Amino acid sequence: MRQDERLLHGSTFGTAAAAYAEHRPDYAEAAVRWALELAPGPRVLDLGAGTGKLTAALVALGAGVIAVEPDPAMLAELRSALPTVRALAGSAEAIPLPDGSVDAVLAGNAMHWFDMNVAGPEIARILQPDGILAGLWNVLDDRVDWVAGLERAGGSAAVGPRDTFSSWRAATFEAHLPGSGSVARFGSPEQAEFPHGQCRNADSLVATLATRAGILVMPEQERDATLRRIRDFLASRPETASGDFTLPMLTGVLRVRRL
Ligand SMILES: C[S@@+](CC[C@H](N)C(=O)[O-])C[C@H]1O[C@@H](n2cnc3c(N)ncnc32)[C@H](O)[C@@H]1O
């Protein structure tokens, strides 16, 4: 994705902040534990924290969490859901924290929006030596037949390479690296997946997919047509045509250590 597209897509979530808070999934607890297990201490920054989906998981695990988020509407949702969490306006490229002040930086479905040429040194600055940077991505389990069909029906704007079990590893393997020519700030990446799921019905799954950046930036007609295609597909499948079902998912984690 080009830099201008990345900026446009990455800044669009605030237009659907309430729907995001209502419909996006949380993260598999085992994934969050794995992301944190090598951290040298309990201080964690949730970077690109959005409405606080990952922040809430970190609070539940007893981490000392600070949330940083650039979008005012997303930040307002987070502050309302988690009033006791220290939540700051800022971005991965300009983090409002002192040098060496956290033991881990986690980013839930957000690292791919960072400009790592700038964000890499900035994240390294605020991390302790040996601190951990981890990206988490909730991905659809496309080994399940109807989920693979959903991917085809939605198209890449709704379900892209980062969003499925079969391709998230390749799509994120270099997410922590700067563009060529810059100094790498982190060691070799490790990746792992953890089973997850979300209770949905056809309407709430359409509402979830409608909060994806690729859909939010579409012209209205194209967005309506895409969501109609998804709705028609879900109505055509016995697994999703009526009532509640569990959306088969995994939480994928990429973790690296600060050099
Ligand atoms: C898909 S949402 C994920 C939100 C939250 N982490 C979660 O797990 O639900 C991506 C978030 O990254 C934020 N974001 C986009 N560009 C960013 C940047 N350069 N630095 C920090 N956050 C960014 C967006 O505002 C948005 O809240």
Side-chain angles (χ1 to χ4, degrees):
M1 186 178 279
R2 295 194 323 261
Q3 167 94 337
D4 56 337
E5 284 178 321
R6 192 175 51 69
L7 281 173
L8 173 67
H9 286 226
S11 63
T12 196
F13 295 101
T15 60
Y20 193 106
E22 182 178 353
H23 291 293
R24 282 291 191 111
D26 60 7
Y27 293 87
E29 184 185 317
V32 184
R33 285 188 187 280
W34 190 80
L36 290 177
E37 76 183 3
L38 303 178
R43 300 165 303 168
V44 182
L45 168 63
D46 182 1
L47 188 54
T51 61
K53 302 277 173 193
L54 178 59
T55 321
L58 290 164
V59 169
L61 289 180
V65 194
I66 300 171
V68 166
E69 164 58 38
D71 186 284
M74 299 293 268
L75 190 57
E77 290 285 342
L78 188 155
R79 284 177 170 150
S80 141
L82 300 166
T84 61
V85 170
R86 187 174 168 214
L88 307 172
S91 71
E93 296 78 14
I95 303 173
L97 292 177
D99 297 0
S101 56
V102 297
D103 301 295
V105 174
L106 267 56
N109 278 79
M111 195 189 287
H112 49 274
W113 302 124
F114 304 166
D115 175 358
M116 287 309 284
N117 285 316
V118 184
E122 184 64 349
I123 292 168
R125 177 185 69 75
I126 59 127
L127 270 174
Q128 276 286 318
D130 277 346
I132 295 296
L133 168 64
L136 292 84
W137 286 271
N138 274 323
V139 301
L140 300 180
D141 191 346
D142 57 348
R143 295 169 295 185
V144 177
D145 186 56
W146 76 260
V147 176
L150 172 66
E151 181 187 356
R152 287 190 293 275
S156 60
V159 184
R162 247 185 347 257
D163 303 319
T164 61
F165 170 77
S166 62
S167 54
W168 84 273
R169 281 187 176 232
T172 63
F173 189 70
E174 298 193 331
H176 62 295
L177 293 178
S180 57
S182 307
V183 178
R185 307 282 168 159
F186 303 98
S188 305
E190 294 176 274
Q191 289 173 302
E193 299 93 4
F194 301 84
H196 199 29
Q198 187 187 20
C199 180
R200 298 282 80 186
N201 59 40
D203 287 341
S204 63
L205 180 50
V206 171
T208 307
L209 294 170
T211 67
R212 298 277 173 106
I215 303 270
L216 290 172
V217 299
M218 278 178 176
E220 195 178 335
Q221 272 193 332
E222 189 184 349
R223 180 167 56 238
D224 290 348
T226 303
L227 297 178
R228 200 173 319 116
R229 240 182 14 252
I230 294 171
R231 203 172 284 115
D232 289 347
F233 171 79
L234 295 173
S236 77
R237 294 290 306 211
E239 299 89 342
T240 54
S242 64
D244 289 348
F245 52 86
T246 298
L247 176 64
M249 292 168 28
L250 303 101
T251 300
V253 187
L254 172 144
R255 75 180 181 194
V256 287
R257 200 188 275 283
R258 179 189 182 282
L259 291 175

